[in-house]
């Protein structure tokens, strides 16, 4: 089969790889249809991912069609599926508590093991969700949007809560969209006037332009000095995460959607006097995938505006390398494989 392989940082090639073969019991063989390109994929290409062994086939935002099943699999050959790329052990403390998204021994397709920038892939059947009428192109967007849906659910915020999403990249926009669906009173903060312009004109969000003044001053002015009831940080920037503590109102919550590799420092007296909640949000659960799929079906998500770039498997080595540096106008890129 054809596969796009990141052999080493900066080296991305299309090459022939052995097909996966027949699926074992409990697994299915999937013909890959579409793959979204994530910020993680750009980081892998650029050599910025801290826990990755090369060579690697990337790709974890996936849709496809079942072409063969192993024993004890309740999926039909020919069924269109959404791939949950988080492979959990099923035995650890998190899995036993119904939280496979933060499994102790989790393996993510395209990161810890080879992913879906290829023509076929083997996936545990429990990680395949019927698309139920979604187009395969739309089904490939479910995973990245599920990250934001999960973060909003983790926040425990009530409708009407004054909310700030920091970071207007794909994950931040997804978080903002599901915050709006949940009835939260939302603003977006970013340093990029281009991204904020897109969020305003195309998605209808109120925004704060972080390039026009100190974020603390902007937040103070926007909230009358109270701060936001819930703050989501989706920047992946250590300085942003640390400054976000000060944006939270007394009694509010800070949800860390993105991950940084550094230690995070904050003022304990400021944290305690607010009686803040600090919430980590990792990956997503089946309920989040289902919520995203339902929201696409009912027209609540403007996918046509979010997917700004498209390519083919053959053109991916050239296009992904170019998009890693040419970010203007880029929100989400999708590879058509099948």
């Amino acid at each position: 089969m054809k596969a796009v392989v990141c052999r080493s940082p900066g080296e991305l090639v299309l090459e022939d790889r052995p097909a996966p073969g027949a699926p074992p019991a409990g697994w299915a063989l999937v013909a890959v249809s579409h793959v979204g390109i994530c910020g993680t994929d750009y980081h892998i290409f650029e050599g910025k991912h801290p826990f990755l062994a090369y060579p690697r086939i990337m790709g974890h935002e996936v849709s496809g069609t079942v072409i063969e099943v192993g024993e004890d699999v309740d999926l039909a050959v020919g069924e269109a599926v959404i791939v949950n790329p988080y492979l959990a052990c099923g035995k650890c403390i998190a899995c036993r508590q119904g939280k496979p998204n933060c499994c102790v021994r989790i393996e993510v397709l395209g990161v810890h093991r080879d992913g879906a920038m290829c023509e076929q892939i083997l996936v545990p059947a429990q990680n395949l969700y019927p698309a139920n009428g979604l187009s395969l192109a739309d089904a490939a967007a479910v995973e990245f949007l599920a990250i934001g849906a999960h973060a909003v659910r983790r926040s425990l915020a009530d409708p009407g809560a004054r909310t700030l999403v920091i970071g207007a990249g794909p994950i931040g926009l997804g978080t903002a969209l599901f915050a709006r669906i949940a009835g939260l009173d939302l603003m977006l903060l970013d340093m990029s006037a281009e991204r904020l312009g897109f969020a305003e004109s195309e998605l209808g969000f109120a925004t704060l332009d972080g390039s026009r003044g100190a974020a603390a001053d902007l937040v103070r002015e926007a909230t009358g000095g109270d701060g936001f009831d819930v703050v989501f940080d989706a920047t992946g920037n250590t300085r942003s995460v640390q400054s976000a503590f000060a944006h939270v109102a007394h009694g509010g919550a800070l949800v860390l959607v993105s991950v940084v590799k550094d230690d995070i420092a904050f003022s304990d007296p400021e944290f305690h006097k607010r009686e803040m909640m600090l919430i980590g949000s990792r990956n997503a659960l089946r309920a989040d995938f289902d919520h995203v799929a339902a929201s696409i079906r009912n027209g609540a998500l403007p996918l046509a505006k979010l997917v700004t770039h498209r390519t083919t498997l053959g053109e991916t080595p050239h296009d992904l390398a170019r998009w890693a540096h040419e970010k203007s106008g880029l929100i989400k890129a999708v590879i058509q494989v099948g």
Side-chain angles (χ1 to χ4, degrees), residues 248-253 268-278:
V248 180
H250 282 237
D268 186 60
E270 289 295 321
F271 178 79
H272 267 84
K273 79 179 186 181
R274 286 171 166 78
E275 199 180 50
M276 279 177 59
M277 288 194 297
L278 177 61

Side-chain angles (χ1 to χ4, degrees), residues 62-233:
V62 193
S63 68
T65 303
V66 175
I67 53 177
E68 188 175 351
V69 298
E71 294 181 7
D72 302 319
V73 172
D74 188 22
L75 286 168
V77 171
E79 185 160 17
V81 290
I82 301 160
V83 177
N84 177 336
Y86 324 128
L87 276 56
C89 74
K91 300 176 181 178
C92 72
I93 179 64
C95 289
R96 295 198 307 270
Q97 294 181 346
K99 298 181 179 181
N101 60 305
C102 57
C103 168
V104 173
R105 290 176 286 275
I106 199 168
E107 290 187 300
V108 179
L109 295 176
V111 181
H112 304 99
R113 61 165 65 195
D114 281 342
M117 290 188 188
C118 57
E119 293 178 312
Q120 297 180 1
I121 188 170
L122 286 171
V123 183
Q126 66 185 10
N127 287 70
L128 298 174
Y129 308 149
N132 287 336
L134 288 186
S135 71
L136 285 167
D138 287 352
V142 171
E143 189 275 340
F144 97 85
L145 290 166
I147 300 295
H150 184 70
V152 171
R153 192 158 59 87
R154 288 277 293 155
S155 75
L156 305 176
D158 294 324
R162 193 151 50 179
T163 301
L164 179 68
V165 175
I166 309 172
I171 298 301
L173 291 174
T175 302
L177 286 166
F178 280 94
R180 182 161 66 189
I181 289 171
L184 308 187
D185 181 10
L186 178 72
M187 299 191 81
L188 265 170
L189 170 65
D190 200 278
M191 297 291 290
S192 168
E194 179 183 359
R195 283 186 170 181
L196 292 177
F198 175 87
E200 289 180 346
S201 63
E202 300 299 318
L203 303 179
F205 289 123
T207 64
L208 296 175
D209 187 347
S211 68
R212 296 188 174 183
D217 294 336
L218 297 173
V219 168
R220 189 179 304 112
E221 182 179 351
T223 64
D226 288 338
F228 287 92
D229 300 315
V230 58
V231 176
F232 298 90
D233 191 284

